[in-house]
Amino acid sequence: KMFGRPVVSVFDHTTANTVKSEVRLPGVFAAPLRPDVVSFVHDQLGRNSRQAHGINFFAGMKHSALSWGTGRAVARIPRIRASGTSRANQGAQGNMCRAGRMAFPLRTWRRWHRKVNLRQRRHALAAAVSATAVTPLVIARGHRVMTVPQLPLVFSNEINQIARTKEASAIF
């Protein structure tokens, strides 16, 4: 199982572009690239951070309005029952009317969250990790990795001794 895997260079952080050793690339980098699965799982799991919200059940329906029925050459929408005001005889309560209810209002009992199969989540994670080793895909995402000698970029454990950002940005 381990023989067909490519190797990746381990760099020394003190001197740039100095290869300290080589290690075998983990098997996850051999996973197939599945952008369709990655985008689907990302989209579905992103919906789990939403909070249920909706409008008042009676919003837009709080007018004393009644339809005039047929025979008057006007639409059968309910109309405000009033006199002496410009609001009189105007349409009300419909989704096409001023101050009317919205069409298909949001409800709190909508299915806001999504379940995603465990195996599908694992395939998406493996595909996303393996895509980080493909330089053209990383560049297409907008990352500036032209000066990086190879992807994935692996450093020796001595890099954990760096305490300042100035030292870390001076490596490459």
Side-chain angles (χ1 to χ4, degrees):
K1 271 185 156 176
M2 299 287 284
F3 295 117
R5 276 199 219 141
V7 294
V8 62
S9 301
V10 177
F11 289 93
D12 186 18
H13 77 283
T14 55
T15 55
N17 294 330
T18 303
V19 177
K20 192 169 186 181
S21 64
E22 288 185 342
V23 294
R24 284 199 197 118
L25 201 60
V28 69
F29 287 99
L33 300 178
R34 294 290 306 272
D36 55 335
V37 174
V38 173
S39 63
F40 172 78
V41 171
H42 181 265
D43 177 58
Q44 297 296 309
L45 291 182
R47 296 176 186 210
N48 292 339
S49 59
R50 297 190 296 180
Q51 234 178 355
H53 61 281
I55 66 167
N56 188 346
F57 186 77
F58 295 107
M61 303 293 286
K62 298 178 180 178
H63 303 289
S64 174
L66 193 68
S67 174
W68 287 355
T70 59
R72 295 204 191 188
V74 292
R76 290 182 284 186
I77 194 74
R79 295 177 181 276
I80 299 288
R81 304 181 69 178
S83 62
T85 175
S86 60
R87 188 73 171 118
N89 303 330
Q90 287 184 355
Q93 296 180 349
N95 62 327
M96 74 290 290
C97 298
R98 173 178 167 265
R101 61 167 167 74
M102 65 184 286
F104 311 107
L106 288 174
R107 302 292 189 203
T108 54
W109 56 82
R110 175 190 282 194
R111 190 166 69 100
W112 297 94
H113 299 94
R114 301 288 189 269
K115 288 183 181 177
V116 181
N117 295 338
L118 179 64
R119 183 170 291 190
Q120 212 168 10
R121 291 195 310 245
R122 287 178 177 164
H123 279 300
L125 183 62
V129 169
S130 66
T132 61
V134 182
T135 307
L137 290 178
V138 175
I139 293 172
R141 292 286 298 171
H143 300 287
R144 295 187 294 237
V145 292
M146 292 306 207
T147 59
V148 176
Q150 73 174 16
L151 289 177
L153 185 61
V154 181
F155 284 106
S156 60
N157 285 336
E158 287 82 30
I159 199 167
N160 294 327
Q161 297 169 353
I162 292 179
R164 301 186 58 86
T165 308
K166 184 195 286 187
E167 300 170 6
S169 61
I171 292 175
F172 282 109

